[in-house]
Amino acid sequence: MASEWAAIVIGINYYPEYTTLKPLTAAAEDAEKIAQQLEQYGYRPFRAQFLPRTLNPKGESKIDRQGAVKVQELREAIANLFNPPPPNPSPETALFFFSGHGWCRTVAGKEEVFLATSDVLPEAEIYGIPLSWLGEQLQISQTKRVVVWLDCCYSGELLNFIPTDKDYCFITATRSYETGVEIPHRQGLLTQALLAGLNPENDADGIVNSHKLADFIISRMPDTAQRPLIANSTRAILLTTKFSQKSFQDKCPYRSLSYFKETKEDAEVFYGRSALTRQLIKQVTDKHRLIAVLGASGSGKSSLLRAGLLYQLKLGQDIPGSDRWAYITPFTPKESPVNSLQEALALSLPNLSDPETTSTPPLTPPREQGGERLRQQMRGGLGTVLQQSENRYIAHVIGEGLKALNTPVILIIDQFEECFTMCDDSQRQEFFDCLRELIDCTDNLYIFIGMRSDFRGRWREYPKFASRIHKPYINVEHLNRQEIEEAITKPADWVGLGIEGRLKQQLINDVEDYPGSLPLLQYTLTELWRESKNQGDEVLSLKTYEDLGGVEGTLQKRADAVYESLSATEKTVARRIFLELTQMGETTDVRRRVRLGELVNSHHSLELLQQVSEKLADKDARLITKTDEPDSQDVILDVVHEALIRHWQMLRGWKEEYKLGIAIERQIEAEAQEWERNEKKPGFLRKDDRLAVAEAYLTRFGDWQMLNGVAEEYIQESQELRNRLEREEKERQQEKLAAARRQNRVVTLFSMGLAGVAIFAGYQWWNAQNKAKEATQQTTIALAQSSETALLSDRQLEAMIAATQSGRQILGRPIKNANLEQEANQQAILALQRGIYNTQERNRLEGHSEAVYSVAFSPDGKTIASASLDKTVKVWDAATAKEITTFKGHSDAVYSVAFSPDGKTIASASLDKTVKVWDAATAKEITTFKGHSSGVNSVAFSPDGKTIASASFDNTVKVWQYLNNLDDLIVYSCNRLRGYLQSNPNVSDKHLCDGVGTKSD
């Protein structure tokens, strides 16, 4: 086969006395060890041959330690390895190892180095295989990669025969004029180093290539009696790995909800994105230095950047030398993206800014004072530098450190949307400025950004940064049928797993029209593999797939089962964890990381949180992930994938139920954090209406136990401050009243007598009226607080209603309790002001049973059409918000809706692959356009209403003729009928179309 990897391993101990060469004691064993290393760890399986050869009891070939190797035998073996005769194809990689005697002799007046065989005869000038002949074989070979390792005397002569048209790895035990050293019954010095260097268990990545092997040997043999020589091509040759194909047997080839990492273990089973991987690599070869990779959630961006781009670059096969570049560990921005960048740089390049370890002297900053300060910081390394505020200069220092590496540097920032969902404006701007400065001040840094495509519009807010991003962006689209099949079957083939043909087709059909479903596909395949192992099956079956619930049902069932296995207390904690790991968005909810220690509160101890999070992260559950930290307080939790947030119905129900509380909770926790940062000063506590909102939240959602411990303390302290202030105010009022009484003691008994009866009666009336009005004022305050709560929960119309009710309660109803009246007035006014100035919502149309994807106004603005996942189109009265009619006819979700220019017709686009046209007044279906091979996601009328355009997930836009004018319809009809009328003598009205225009179809 053309992709074959072949090796010939030679180890000659036997040299008869007539050869004048001493017999060796370790050469055959050295060859045997090298062969075993290649067999166990070969990056691809080597087809190895041995000389001298014998057979073991099983009939397998092995080295004959006392056998002889003849000149002709070795010559034929070398020729067949590098230049096999037709029709045999050349191997992709050919490896030749020789351990034995080498000698230098003069033949025909020319000095020549030979690989000595067992039958050399100096008297007849037969010395073995000339290295010059071996060099010719290497030069003319069609093999892509040649590997030659010679553990013999004078072997450095090989480096005079380096090929010019292929990748190579030449390693020799000695220089061309140097004899080797053999310690009897001990491995050769070079072979010792080769065996240790080839062992992938000693490599951090688990992969050894020719460059790594060379570095290892140089470091291992700096002062040995014999000096090895090494020559490598710029492009590395892959040699060994601890992830050989054999190591994958009985392992799951799918990755559930996790992304594929930049390891061979993951890359070998990562399929369907080879074209995009090549496109990303081309961005580097074309010197584009800030590249955006955009796609929907679940499209596979993270896996593409890691198992695709990063893995291939580290292999060094597509770009020669890229295996020796500098790679910064991929990171996500989180709450503080500059700090995240700092951590990634410090982890991958810890000595980047250390003047003692870089090739450039410390920089001279623009200001002498600041320069000295930064020089002091640099002595502490990168972490110290990045903590300072001189952001532009920090980027400059980092950039100088990167340039000093004298090699390309690859930086991958994944989930870049976190810049918009998890950090504030100042941190975001600081990060964008830092990245922009890094691009501007370096020429060797390549930054790849992975981001959800629905955040692309946010870049317009940062034009300076956006202008640096290369266009066009790399868009990660949904896999086509062939790519989906590869993602299903190729990993299974790699581990020897069978898949029923019916199952394969059903999976492809279920995923093809389901954008963002790749995580669900991987999760379902993982569960299928798990079930097949439990049942002892070697083939994944359609029945098991159906029992699991299909692509959508598998995750749902597993998540439900994990949750139901928890105790009642654990369920409350689990619900809280999942809600805390969800960031509510305007259109789509996203993941949110939290630190375990920050969840501790009066209900949930750290031990309980650890217990529940362990169960959720268990290998048999895998609903969340946990970082491995020495202190459990610092453990970071994350959902295993956003697919869980989108598709788990139980979590969606919790989100719906808690949507009124989550905004208030997050606001309270943010304020509590600010209060704690400011030494818990009373001035940062909640007061008045804001405290009332917090108390209303606790009344409604207290039993959900969502607030963290700091927030609980924050509210408690706020309440204690209010109570203390109320007590102090009451004491002041009582003191004032006592003083007034003392001043008015001198009154006449006569006046008291006359007024007594009247005062008593008046007081009884006043007291009754005032109590009623006080109740009204209390209602006013409660309504104002209710308005604030609704506004914080983004229920704008409800907020306006409550604020208006609050204001009307107080109008014309003054009371004598000045404090209560003032508070009620202030609350009502504040509620109305906030309601008016913060409410953009004018009305709300409710009636669809599932998410609404598209809306359109009629041309006259009097009606609204809406399209929904519930497979219907509804038409509403724009003024009253009442439903007028419902169009039913689509068999799948409706994604788009549009009015014709005259408002008489509505077009709808659906995942059922059709476009339907409806009469807007009667709701009757006029026609259906069929032709798309995948779901239709957008539809639009032309300005004259005679043409409809539709866009589909099948990567096409189709244009349809639509006639809605009587004249056009008659002309169109007559053009179709004219031939029939003229040719058929039995037609009664042969002149039906006379005088009608002849517009073309």
Side-chain angles (χ1 to χ4, degrees):
M1 293 176 60
S3 61
E4 184 179 66
W5 288 34
I8 291 182
V9 180
I10 314 295
I12 306 176
N13 282 345
Y14 177 66
Y15 288 94
E17 187 176 345
Y18 65 79
T19 64
T20 71
L21 297 171
K22 288 177 56 178
L24 299 174
T25 59
E29 185 178 355
D30 286 354
E32 203 167 58
K33 296 288 187 182
I34 292 290
Q36 290 171 356
Q37 197 88 310
L38 295 177
E39 181 180 1
Q40 181 178 359
Y41 292 120
Y43 188 85
R44 290 285 183 265
F46 276 95
R47 180 181 56 82
Q49 295 184 0
F50 311 98
L51 288 178
R53 179 173 55 203
T54 187
L55 299 179
N56 65 17
K58 296 181 180 180
E60 299 169 335
S61 177
K62 69 170 193 172
I63 289 279
D64 182 355
R65 297 192 180 187
Q66 299 303 319
V69 178
K70 297 181 179 180
V71 170
Q72 187 59 31
E73 188 178 17
L74 181 55
R75 183 183 296 270
E76 288 178 0
I78 292 173
N80 289 336
L81 173 66
F82 294 113
N83 296 288
N88 305 289
S90 296
E92 240 184 31
T93 299
L95 185 150
F96 176 66
F97 173 81
F98 178 88
S99 180
H101 276 299
W103 56 4
C104 182
R105 289 292 180 267
T106 301
V107 178
K110 181 181 178 183
E111 198 172 69
E112 182 85 68
V113 174
F114 294 86
L115 303 178
T117 54
S118 303
D119 61 344
V120 298
L121 193 58
E123 296 175 356
E125 295 191 344
I126 300 173
Y127 302 112
I129 301 297
L131 284 188
S132 59
W133 177 85
L134 174 60
E136 291 172 5
Q137 293 298 305
L138 294 172
Q139 194 65 50
I140 65 175
S141 175
Q142 298 301 305
T143 298
K144 292 181 180 179
R145 296 175 284 273
V146 293
V147 179
V148 181
W149 301 330
L150 304 180
D151 193 356
C152 61
C153 301
Y154 309 108
S155 50
E157 178 71 14
L158 177 69
L159 270 62
N160 286 321
F161 307 105
I162 293 175
T164 58
D165 59 347
K166 55 183 65 69
D167 297 330
Y168 57 89
C169 172
F170 290 176
I171 301 177
T172 68
T174 67
R175 290 169 282 191
S176 62
Y177 56 81
E178 190 174 47
T179 59
V181 176
E182 189 203 34
I183 303 173
H185 305 289
R186 293 277 301 275
Q187 286 178 345
L189 295 178
L190 176 63
T191 300
Q192 285 182 30
L194 281 173
L195 289 172
L198 285 171
N199 189 343
E201 303 292 345
N202 301 328
D203 183 80
D205 297 324
I207 298 175
V208 177
N209 62 29
S210 52
H211 292 165
K212 290 183 179 180
L213 180 61
D215 292 343
F216 181 87
I217 290 174
I218 290 170
S219 66
R220 180 75 173 262
M221 302 179 65
D223 302 312
T224 51
Q226 61 190 55
R227 177 183 171 185
L229 295 184
I230 301 173
N232 271 328
S233 55
T234 305
R235 191 196 324 271
I237 298 177
L238 302 169
L239 297 171
T240 59
T241 176
K242 64 181 179 182
F243 304 111
S244 64
Q245 188 168 359
K246 289 181 181 179
S247 70
F248 281 81
Q249 303 306 308
D250 296 324
K251 290 186 178 180
C252 181
Y254 306 107
R255 291 299 175 263
S256 190
L257 295 178
S258 302
Y259 55 70
F260 289 79
K261 298 185 287 292
E262 61 273 22
T263 63
K264 186 175 190 292
E265 193 173 20
D266 279 11
E268 287 288 5
V269 291
F270 176 64
Y271 285 94
R273 293 301 190 190
S274 55
L276 270 177
T277 300
R278 290 192 296 270
Q279 192 177 349
L280 289 176
I281 292 173
K282 190 174 186 302
Q283 299 294 312
V284 180
T285 58
D286 290 346
K287 305 296 184 183
H288 300 144
R289 299 184 44 239
L290 184 55
I291 302 101
V293 180
L294 306 181
S297 178
S299 59
K301 303 180 295 298
S302 298
S303 298
L304 170 66
L305 287 168
R306 290 172 170 84
L309 171 69
L310 195 53
Y311 178 74
Q312 291 301 326
L313 287 178
K314 284 187 172 183
L315 284 185
Q317 302 300 290
D318 294 282
I319 303 178
S322 64
D323 60 301
R324 314 197 84 163
W325 292 358
Y327 294 93
I328 298 168
T329 303
F331 72 94
T332 58
K334 304 185 184 70
E335 294 88 348
S336 180
V338 172
N339 286 345
S340 298
L341 172 63
Q342 165 193 345
E343 292 168 2
L345 286 166
L347 177 65
S348 305
L349 307 171
N351 297 321
L352 180 65
S353 294
D354 187 344
E356 297 179 4
T357 57
T358 56
S359 59
T360 56
L363 304 169
T364 303
R367 298 185 301 277
E368 186 174 348
Q369 181 179 2
E372 178 57 30
R373 184 169 68 253
L374 277 175
R375 277 195 292 274
Q376 293 295 327
Q377 294 160 9
M378 286 174 65
R379 295 189 184 105
L382 179 64
T384 306
V385 176
L386 280 172
Q387 290 170 6
Q388 309 305 315
S389 59
E390 294 93 336
N391 295 318
R392 174 170 293 188
Y393 191 70
I394 287 172
H396 181 69
V397 171
I398 297 171
E400 289 298 318
L402 293 176
K403 286 194 292 184
L405 295 173
N406 294 318
T407 186
V409 180
I410 302 297
L411 171 63
I412 291 176
I413 309 172
D414 198 9
Q415 296 176 35
F416 199 79
E417 64 272 9
E418 289 183 356
C419 291
F420 303 105
T421 63
M422 296 186 68
C423 62
D424 60 34
D425 293 343
S426 62
Q427 291 172 320
R428 186 183 312 124
Q429 186 68 64
E430 180 184 22
F431 185 51
F432 288 177
D433 288 345
C434 184
L435 294 180
R436 181 166 53 83
E437 291 290 337
L438 282 173
I439 287 293
D440 290 347
C441 73
T442 62
D443 58 6
N444 63 328
L445 176 63
Y446 296 84
I447 301 177
F448 287 84
I449 290 170
M451 187 177 78
R452 274 178 34 182
S453 51
D454 50 331
F455 284 86
R456 173 179 171 178
R458 296 293 304 273
W459 276 337
R460 288 195 294 269
E461 302 168 24
Y462 304 90
K464 289 183 179 180
F465 175 68
S467 66
R468 300 298 198 282
I469 303 174
H470 176 71
K471 296 179 180 61
Y473 304 133
I474 305 296
N475 291 307
V476 183
E477 306 291 350
H478 189 51
L479 297 180
N480 59 37
R481 285 187 70 88
Q482 180 181 348
E483 291 168 334
I484 295 171
E485 182 173 355
E486 281 186 10
I488 295 170
T489 60
K490 293 290 188 181
D493 293 342
W494 182 252
V495 300
L497 181 67
I499 298 180
E500 278 185 3
R502 293 185 307 155
L503 171 61
K504 181 180 71 175
Q505 291 306 316
Q506 188 63 53
L507 281 166
I508 295 172
N509 293 339
D510 289 348
V511 171
E512 183 183 17
D513 295 331
Y514 195 169
S517 60
L518 293 183
L520 292 182
L521 173 63
Q522 284 288 322
Y523 187 86
T524 302
L525 287 166
T526 302
E527 292 302 302
L528 280 167
W529 178 86
R530 194 196 309 270
E531 286 298 314
S532 71
K533 285 297 176 185
N534 291 340
Q535 297 170 16
D537 295 335
E538 296 295 329
V539 177
L540 305 186
S541 69
L542 178 61
K543 182 182 183 305
T544 305
Y545 174 70
E546 291 172 343
D547 291 343
L548 286 172
V551 166
E552 287 193 73
T554 303
L555 176 60
Q556 174 84 16
K557 283 189 174 182
R558 169 64 65 179
D560 285 350
V562 172
Y563 179 75
E564 292 301 331
S565 70
L566 303 175
S567 67
T569 300
E570 290 174 332
K571 285 180 179 178
T572 302
V573 177
R575 178 180 65 182
R576 180 186 175 204
I577 287 175
F578 284 116
L579 287 171
E580 291 290 3
L581 294 178
T582 302
Q583 179 73 38
M584 302 288 193
E586 294 179 4
T587 56
T588 307
D589 299 335
V590 297
R591 72 204 310 161
R592 173 179 180 261
R593 297 177 185 85
V594 296
R595 188 168 274 104
L596 188 66
E598 294 174 354
L599 297 180
V600 174
N601 62 19
S602 61
H603 307 283
H604 305 149
S605 65
L606 183 60
E607 291 73 22
L608 178 59
L609 289 163
Q610 285 177 306
Q611 174 184 318
V612 177
S613 61
E614 280 297 326
K615 291 185 178 182
L616 299 179
D618 182 79
K619 62 182 179 63
D620 291 327
R622 287 286 294 158
L623 298 181
I624 68 170
T625 62
K626 300 178 67 176
T627 59
D628 186 14
E629 307 290 346
D631 187 344
S632 56
Q633 293 266 2
D634 297 327
V635 169
I636 295 175
L637 307 182
D638 191 6
V639 290
V640 69
H641 198 280
E642 284 181 358
L644 191 70
I645 296 174
R646 297 198 308 271
H647 299 289
W648 186 19
Q649 290 298 326
M650 188 176 292
L651 176 54
R652 291 175 68 175
W654 293 336
K655 289 190 296 180
E656 180 66 25
E657 192 174 353
Y658 190 56
K659 67 180 180 181
L660 302 179
I662 196 164
I664 303 174
E665 176 217 326
R666 300 278 164 85
Q667 184 179 15
I668 291 173
E669 290 179 341
E671 292 174 6
Q673 190 176 25
E674 185 70 15
W675 170 66
E676 187 176 45
R677 276 198 297 263
N678 286 274
E679 301 175 349
K680 299 185 178 181
K681 294 178 181 177
F684 289 88
L685 293 172
R686 282 201 163 204
K687 300 172 185 175
D688 303 327
D689 59 316
R690 292 174 55 249
L691 178 55
V693 169
E695 291 175 323
Y697 164 82
L698 288 176
T699 300
R700 173 66 180 84
F701 295 109
D703 58 345
W704 285 56
Q705 304 171 2
M706 294 293 296
L707 287 175
N708 62 33
V710 178
E712 288 180 327
E713 183 186 359
Y714 174 65
I715 294 177
Q716 184 178 350
E717 289 292 325
S718 297
Q719 290 171 325
E720 290 180 359
L721 175 63
R722 178 196 59 193
N723 295 340
R724 187 173 69 252
L725 292 175
E726 286 179 351
R727 286 196 304 271
E728 291 172 355
E729 177 63 23
K730 185 176 181 180
E731 289 172 359
R732 281 196 297 271
Q733 293 297 328
Q734 288 175 344
E735 180 60 32
K736 286 182 180 180
L737 181 59
R741 286 172 177 170
R742 287 193 298 270
Q743 291 175 1
N744 292 299
R745 281 177 180 171
V746 183
V747 293
T748 64
L749 291 174
F750 178 74
S751 299
M752 291 174 60
L754 288 175
V757 175
I759 290 173
F760 178 76
Y763 173 76
Q764 292 288 355
W765 175 85
W766 175 85
N767 191 44
Q769 292 295 315
N770 210 38
K771 285 186 179 296
K773 290 179 180 179
E774 283 186 14
T776 300
Q777 304 302 340
Q778 295 289 359
T779 303
T780 299
I781 293 171
L783 285 167
Q785 293 171 352
S786 174
S787 173
E788 176 73 8
T789 302
L791 193 61
L792 289 172
S793 305
D794 205 25
R795 296 158 54 233
Q796 297 180 355
L797 292 178
E798 288 83 347
M800 281 293 292
I801 291 170
T804 304
Q805 290 172 338
S806 173
R808 295 200 64 179
Q809 284 280 338
I810 201 170
L811 283 178
R813 299 184 183 181
I815 61 173
K816 297 303 182 182
N817 188 334
N819 291 330
L820 183 59
E821 182 175 10
Q822 182 181 9
E823 182 182 359
N825 271 286
Q826 288 175 346
Q827 292 268 11
I829 291 170
L830 179 63
L832 279 166
Q833 286 175 329
R834 287 176 59 79
I836 290 170
Y837 298 137
N838 290 282
T839 300
Q840 289 83 43
E841 184 179 356
R842 298 288 300 275
N843 213 331
R844 189 174 302 162
L845 314 179
E846 297 178 323
H848 283 292
S849 60
E850 292 194 50
V852 181
Y853 259 60
S854 177
V855 293
F857 270 99
S858 62
D860 62 7
K862 294 181 179 179
T863 55
I864 297 172
S866 58
S868 169
L869 292 183
D870 64 10
K871 308 177 187 179
T872 70
V873 173
K874 291 183 181 291
V875 179
W876 315 77
D877 185 298
T880 66
K882 290 184 177 180
E883 181 182 330
I884 298 173
T885 188
T886 299
F887 302 165
K888 297 180 179 179
H890 283 293
S891 60
D892 208 336
V894 187
Y895 258 49
S896 180
V897 66
F899 274 97
S900 62
D902 61 7
K904 297 179 179 179
T905 309
I906 293 175
S908 57
S910 169
L911 280 182
D912 64 11
K913 307 178 186 179
T914 70
V915 173
K916 289 185 180 291
V917 182
W918 315 79
D919 185 293
T922 65
K924 290 184 177 179
E925 181 181 328
I926 298 173
T927 188
T928 298
F929 296 126
K930 300 179 180 178
H932 282 293
S933 61
S934 189
V936 189
N937 55 51
S938 183
V939 66
F941 278 93
S942 62
D944 63 4
K946 296 182 180 181
T947 307
I948 294 175
S950 58
S952 168
F953 291 115
D954 64 10
N955 300 331
T956 69
V957 173
K958 292 187 182 290
V959 180
W960 317 85
Q961 185 178 39
Y962 176 68
L963 303 176
N964 59 354
N965 176 280
L966 183 59
D967 291 338
D968 290 339
L969 289 166
I970 291 174
V971 169
Y972 188 90
S973 179
C974 281
N975 284 340
R976 291 291 181 90
L977 289 172
R978 188 168 278 111
Y980 171 73
L981 294 174
Q982 292 173 355
S983 62
N984 196 323
N986 297 322
V987 176
S988 59
D989 192 355
K990 297 178 68 67
H991 302 287
L992 175 65
C993 291
D994 289 355
V996 177
T998 58
K999 295 180 181 179
S1000 66
D1001 290 351

